[in-house]
């Protein structure tokens, strides 16, 4: 059977020049996404203001994302970012009877910032922290018992990341959701570092809200994200952060009242990001063509190879080693992470860094040769690795 990269690598011109292993920051640009942007520009030039068609493109994007997470399109909001979607959701939560919001220490800043901003409206934010250091053997983890202790009958929302952007650790989402629901809390899942790296099924996950964007492993660009809301939940929430595309009838153009859509669309805002929608559809469809489940198995093999090589160099791996506990990115401790990223870039290897660690995030288009190039670079610049003791 043809390998995953053999089916798609040729569609990403960057590999003619660079070793690109930074998909956790930005997916590589494909021929399909470039063509989609040109299609948008051609349509704009040819037809001037084809808004009816552009709105149809927004609906097509909604449907494609819904298919990726096993959801109905009407339960998906099209937003410009995860920040925009979750902020609208947060504005609809009543904290008077249940003030607590539980988040993990693995969250992206936007999640913590959004919920802390609700403290002005009565929210009480609790952060669930790891039981060990990122640099201990096996990587950091947050035991389920810590969520058991933090989530109580006063908890309104449990907001967690599927995969931590700083260390690649996965949280036990289904188990956390079960605990939260037993105690009457809603569960919001930030799946940005997960979407496109392994199959997502909102029913199986058991969460109430799932938000994700397309610029990383869904192979598109910034400016487009989605938020799925459990059927029946949207009608119970009235966001005060809103816009005309959240109205029940956007073409009614009614400025005299507030009449939000009866479904997830009520969490949308203003004019959709049409150029990003073109690119987003192309990226998601390409990722679906490549195969997300196949990509997961391929990337696990690559990251196993990377971890084994880092061990051989005496480096510290700050990412959990068990397949079920890690996403698609691996972090390696450094004495100067920004310097290591810059040095590797000079060698033609594109990576990133967080928390004093080098981040390496292969995807469907990467090969064993790419991983070996990273390891060779780390060996050349071994002085920038923090050594295991």
């Amino acid at each position: 059977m043809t390998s995953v990269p053999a089916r798609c690598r040729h569609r990403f011109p960057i590999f003619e020049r660079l070793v690109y292993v930074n998909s956790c920051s930005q997916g590589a640009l494909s021929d399909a996404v470039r063509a989609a942007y040109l299609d948008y520009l051609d349509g704009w030039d040819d037809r001037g203001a084809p808004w009816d068609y552009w709105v149809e493109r927004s609906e097509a994007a909604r449907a494609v994302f819904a298919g990726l997470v096993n959801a109905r399109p009407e339960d998906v909001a099209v937003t410009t970012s995860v920040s925009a979607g979750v902020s609208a959701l947060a504005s609809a939560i009543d904290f008077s009877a249940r003030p607590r919001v539980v988040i993990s220490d693995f969250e992206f800043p936007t999640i913590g910032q959004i919920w802390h901003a609700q403290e002005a409206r009565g929210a009480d934010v609790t952060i669930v922290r790891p039981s060990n250091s990122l640099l201990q053997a096996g990587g950091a983890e947050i035991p389920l018992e810590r969520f058991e202790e933090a989530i109580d009958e006063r908890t309104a929302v449990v907001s967690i990341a599927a995969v931590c952007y700083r260390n690649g650790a996965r949280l036990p989402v289904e188990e956390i959701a079960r605990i939260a629901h037993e105690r009457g809390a809603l569960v919001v899942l930030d799946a940005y570092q997960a979407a496109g790296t392994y199959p997502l099924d909102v029913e199986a996950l058991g969460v109430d809200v799932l938000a994700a964007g397309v610029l990383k492993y869904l192979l598109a660009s910034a400016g487009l994200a989605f938020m799925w809301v459990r059927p029946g939940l949207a009608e119970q929430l009235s966001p005060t952060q809103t816009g005309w595309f959240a109205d029940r009838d956007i073409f009614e153009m009614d400025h005299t009242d507030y009449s939000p859509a009866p479904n997830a669309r009520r969490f949308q805002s203003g004019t959709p990001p049409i150029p990003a929608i073109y690119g987003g559809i192309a990226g998601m469809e390409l990722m679906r063509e490549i195969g997300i489940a196949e990509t997961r198995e391929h990337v696990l093999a690559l990251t196993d190879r990377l971890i084994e090589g880092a061990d051989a160099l005496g480096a510290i791996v700050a990412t959990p080693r068990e397949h079920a506990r890690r996403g698609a990115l691996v972090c390696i401790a450094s004495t100067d992470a920004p310097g290591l990223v810059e040095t590797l870039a000079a060698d033609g290897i594109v990576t990133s860094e967080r928390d004093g660690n080098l981040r390496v995030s292969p995807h469907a288009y990467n090969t064993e040769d790419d991983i070996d190039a990273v390891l060779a670079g780390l060996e050349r610049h071994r002085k920038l690795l923090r050594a295991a003791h």
Side-chain angles (χ1 to χ4, degrees):
M1 187 172 69
T2 306
S3 70
V4 172
R7 299 202 304 266
C8 67
R9 187 177 173 97
H10 63 283
R11 305 192 63 176
F12 298 86
I14 195 170
F15 291 104
E16 297 171 7
R17 302 177 292 108
L18 298 169
V19 175
Y20 190 81
V21 282
N22 192 32
S23 296
C24 62
S25 293
Q26 171 73 64
L29 175 61
S30 69
D31 55 4
V33 171
R34 181 180 290 277
Y37 271 100
L38 292 175
D39 186 29
Y40 161 72
L41 293 173
D42 288 343
W44 185 11
D45 192 32
D46 291 344
R47 298 188 289 275
W51 274 102
D52 287 348
Y53 180 70
W54 285 345
V55 170
E56 288 177 10
R57 290 285 80 197
S58 181
E59 294 307 309
R62 190 192 315 274
V64 174
F65 182 80
L68 292 178
V69 297
N70 189 31
R72 303 183 307 174
E74 58 265 37
D75 297 321
V76 173
V78 180
T79 70
T80 55
S81 64
V82 165
S83 297
V86 176
S87 289
L89 174 77
S91 77
I93 302 296
D94 181 1
F95 297 105
S96 57
R98 302 176 72 105
R100 176 167 286 191
V101 176
V102 174
I103 67 174
S104 84
D105 194 51
F106 288 172
E107 304 313 304
F108 191 76
T110 196
I111 297 300
Q113 291 160 3
I114 287 169
W115 294 116
H116 279 295
Q118 303 308 308
E119 290 172 338
R121 299 179 52 239
D124 175 17
V125 180
T126 295
I127 302 174
V128 183
R129 302 193 183 276
S131 62
N132 58 0
S133 164
L134 291 176
L135 303 184
Q136 289 179 328
E141 64 177 347
I142 303 178
L144 189 61
E145 295 74 29
R146 298 211 166 180
F147 287 97
E148 289 258 21
E149 296 166 1
I151 303 168
D152 59 18
E153 286 69 23
R154 299 181 304 117
T155 304
V157 177
V158 177
S159 190
I160 55 174
V163 177
C164 179
Y165 79 105
R166 301 196 321 270
N167 57 52
R170 285 178 62 174
L171 289 173
V173 173
E174 296 89 338
E175 291 87 347
I176 295 169
R178 175 186 55 78
I179 294 167
H181 289 155
E182 286 174 354
R183 295 165 194 184
L186 297 176
V187 181
V188 179
L189 182 66
D190 173 4
Y192 221 136
Q193 289 287 357
T197 72
Y198 60 84
L200 294 170
D201 183 325
V202 290
E203 291 187 13
L205 288 167
V207 299
D208 299 289
V209 177
L210 181 148
V214 300
L215 74 89
K216 301 179 189 294
Y217 300 98
L218 289 177
L219 303 179
S221 63
L224 178 64
F226 301 92
M227 190 171 76
W228 169 83
V229 181
R230 172 173 53 78
L233 176 60
E235 302 94 301
Q236 302 172 30
L237 301 171
S238 295
T240 56
Q241 180 171 306
T242 190
W244 71 302
F245 267 75
D247 198 68
R248 66 186 175 190
D249 183 354
I250 62 172
F251 296 111
E252 193 174 49
M253 309 293 284
D254 185 3
H255 67 283
T256 64
D257 75 344
Y258 172 51
S259 303
N263 51 32
R265 197 162 53 77
R266 66 173 54 197
F267 298 105
Q268 294 186 189
S269 184
T271 303
I274 302 302
I277 283 172
Y278 272 71
I281 292 172
M284 289 187 291
E285 288 183 339
L286 178 56
M287 196 60 239
R288 186 168 58 183
E289 177 186 330
I290 294 168
I292 293 175
E294 295 89 342
T295 294
R296 171 64 174 168
E297 294 306 311
H298 171 66
V299 170
L300 281 173
L302 294 181
T303 50
D304 281 345
R305 188 182 188 92
L306 177 62
I307 290 170
E308 290 168 7
D311 287 343
L313 291 172
I316 298 172
V317 176
T319 299
R321 293 165 183 264
E322 297 172 29
H323 287 181
R325 291 181 52 223
R326 75 173 191 250
L329 64 97
V330 169
C331 292
I332 300 169
S334 173
T335 58
D336 177 7
L340 182 54
V341 170
E342 186 177 341
T343 300
L344 290 173
D347 293 342
I349 302 168
V350 182
T351 60
S352 56
E353 57 86 18
R354 292 292 186 275
D355 269 6
N357 301 315
L358 178 76
R359 290 197 310 178
V360 180
S361 52
H363 199 22
Y365 33 59
N366 289 112
T367 64
E368 290 184 352
D369 287 345
D370 292 335
I371 299 302
D372 291 345
V374 172
L375 290 170
L378 295 180
E379 185 168 18
R380 284 193 301 274
H381 309 295
R382 207 164 182 165
K383 64 182 184 298
L384 293 175
L385 295 178
R386 187 178 300 182
H389 298 293

